[in-house]
Amino acid sequence: MTIFLSEAEVKSVLTMPLALDAVESALREHARGDALDTPRVRTRLPLATLHMLQGALPSAGVAGYKVYTSSREGVRFLVHLYDAANGQPLAVMEADYLGMMRTGATGGVAARWLAREDATVAGLFGAGWQARSQLEALCAVRPIKRCKVYARRAEKLSHFCTEMALKLGIEVVPAANPRETVEGSDVVVTMTTSATPVFDGAWLQPGTHITAAGSNSLIRREIDETAVKRAGLVCVDSRAVALKEAGDLLPALEKGRLHEGALVELGEVIAGQRSGRSAREEITLFESQGMAIQDIAVAVRILVLAQGRGLGSQLPY
């Protein structure tokens, strides 16, 4: 039986701990060669773009893909799951909330493995939908007590700070400018659509961890060359994806100041194949572009929980 899960049904079972566990497991399996992931492909039209990521998790017995369209009307996400043994369709689920939680969880897993264990102050660029899960995931893995948030729209920023302070039980305050957001922060997270760097890498204090999650195309940049140069560890979720989409890293790669072999996959750190943070004073950078297996791993867990609760409607195939 193939079931369809609506956005509301997905939201009713998906939690941040579930997403963190799913993403970490998928990245570990990928590093060990036990998962297959195909980087995102895009079909561009004059008024809309079709995006697709696909992969497989043999340990879970599934293959699948996430597909979404973007246009001036908005973005629409779906995840499709198939039985890896016989190809039978298992589920189709709306995936806006799923994708948001998965993206945040990936940043959270990176902070778990790369940020200092005593990190208590965060600086966050962005106050939109995706920024919420970034902060929630970070607070789930590190003892964050205070977060400074910078965004251009004052009303949206104020609402975000009030909402997230209540949700997480920490101090969430507006930052007056980008420098204030960065200085004194143990972890800096960028979740924007900016085409140019959002802060000066010279402002970073020793020991900072950076999660850059907004640049998933070559025309976007959130991190400048100074930040990349100062990072003792540059970590990515997938080298194949980063080399294709990491706008933050492209300038350094093109100039020969950063080389493909220096990019460490987060899964390799999790699996013990490569080193993570090497010193308390080291600056670490994680570039998050997204992988199909991250979405698939979350979707599989959602499907199991949904079936156990009798959620979803049967599709006629």
Side-chain angles (χ1 to χ4, degrees), residues 158-173:
S158 177
H159 178 74
F160 177 90
C161 290
T162 300
E163 177 188 351
M164 296 308 294
L166 288 172
K167 180 179 178 68
L168 301 173
I170 65 169
E171 184 183 5
V172 184
V173 298

Side-chain angles (χ1 to χ4, degrees), residues 107-289:
V109 171
R112 175 185 284 162
W113 286 90
L114 303 177
R116 299 195 326 268
E117 292 186 2
D118 61 352
T120 58
V121 180
L124 173 62
F125 287 86
W129 170 248
Q130 291 280 359
R132 287 167 167 76
S133 65
Q134 290 292 332
L135 183 53
E136 180 181 355
L138 178 58
C139 288
V141 301
R142 286 294 179 264
I144 302 299
K145 297 179 180 177
R146 187 170 191 263
C147 180
K148 300 167 290 179
V149 187
Y150 180 76
R152 290 175 294 180
R153 293 172 55 188
E155 183 178 344
K156 186 175 184 179
L157 174 59
S158 177
H159 178 74
F160 177 90
C161 290
T162 300
E163 177 188 351
M164 296 308 294
L166 288 172
K167 180 179 178 68
L168 301 173
I170 65 169
E171 184 183 5
V172 184
V173 298
N177 52 60
R179 185 163 190 157
E180 181 182 300
T181 310
V182 173
E183 290 185 336
S185 294
D186 303 311
V187 179
V188 174
V189 178
T190 60
M191 188 66 252
T192 74
T193 58
S194 180
T196 57
V198 297
F199 68 87
D200 187 333
W203 301 337
L204 294 164
Q205 66 181 14
T208 303
H209 169 68
I210 311 159
T211 288
S215 173
N216 65 353
S217 72
L218 298 181
I219 62 172
R220 291 184 181 178
R221 286 187 67 196
E222 296 181 303
I223 307 300
D224 66 8
E225 291 187 62
T226 301
V228 176
K229 182 179 180 180
R230 293 188 65 196
L233 173 68
V234 179
C235 191
V236 297
D237 41 17
S238 162
R239 271 185 293 275
V241 177
L243 292 171
K244 187 178 180 181
E245 297 190 338
D248 290 335
L249 304 181
L250 181 63
L253 287 165
E254 286 192 334
K255 295 172 184 176
R257 296 171 181 170
L258 181 67
H259 300 279
E260 177 181 348
L263 301 179
V264 175
E265 290 189 349
L266 181 55
E268 294 171 337
V269 176
I270 296 168
Q273 298 169 352
R274 300 280 293 268
S275 298
R277 173 177 291 275
S278 61
R280 178 176 176 79
E281 300 300 299
E282 183 178 38
I283 292 174
T284 56
L285 168 61
F286 174 63
E287 284 285 336
S288 177
Q289 273 75 52

Side-chain angles (χ1 to χ4, degrees), residues 29-107:
E29 290 188 30
H30 185 257
R32 293 175 175 172
D34 296 328
L36 303 173
D37 190 86
T38 300
R40 179 178 6 236
V41 293
R42 307 180 196 266
T43 300
R44 301 186 185 277
L45 300 166
L47 299 178
T49 301
L50 176 73
H51 318 253
M52 182 177 290
L53 308 82
Q54 59 181 308
L57 293 169
S59 65
V62 297
Y65 62 92
K66 180 172 81 172
V67 61
Y68 61 103
T69 57
S70 57
S71 69
R72 290 185 178 181
E73 292 185 5
V75 187
R76 302 168 180 85
F77 299 86
L78 291 169
V79 167
H80 296 244
L81 295 180
Y82 296 85
D83 189 306
N86 57 29
Q88 290 293 325
L90 299 173
V92 178
M93 59 186 74
E94 293 183 322
D96 192 4
Y97 187 75
L98 186 161
M100 182 269 283
M101 291 288 279
R102 186 274 302 163
T103 303
T106 305

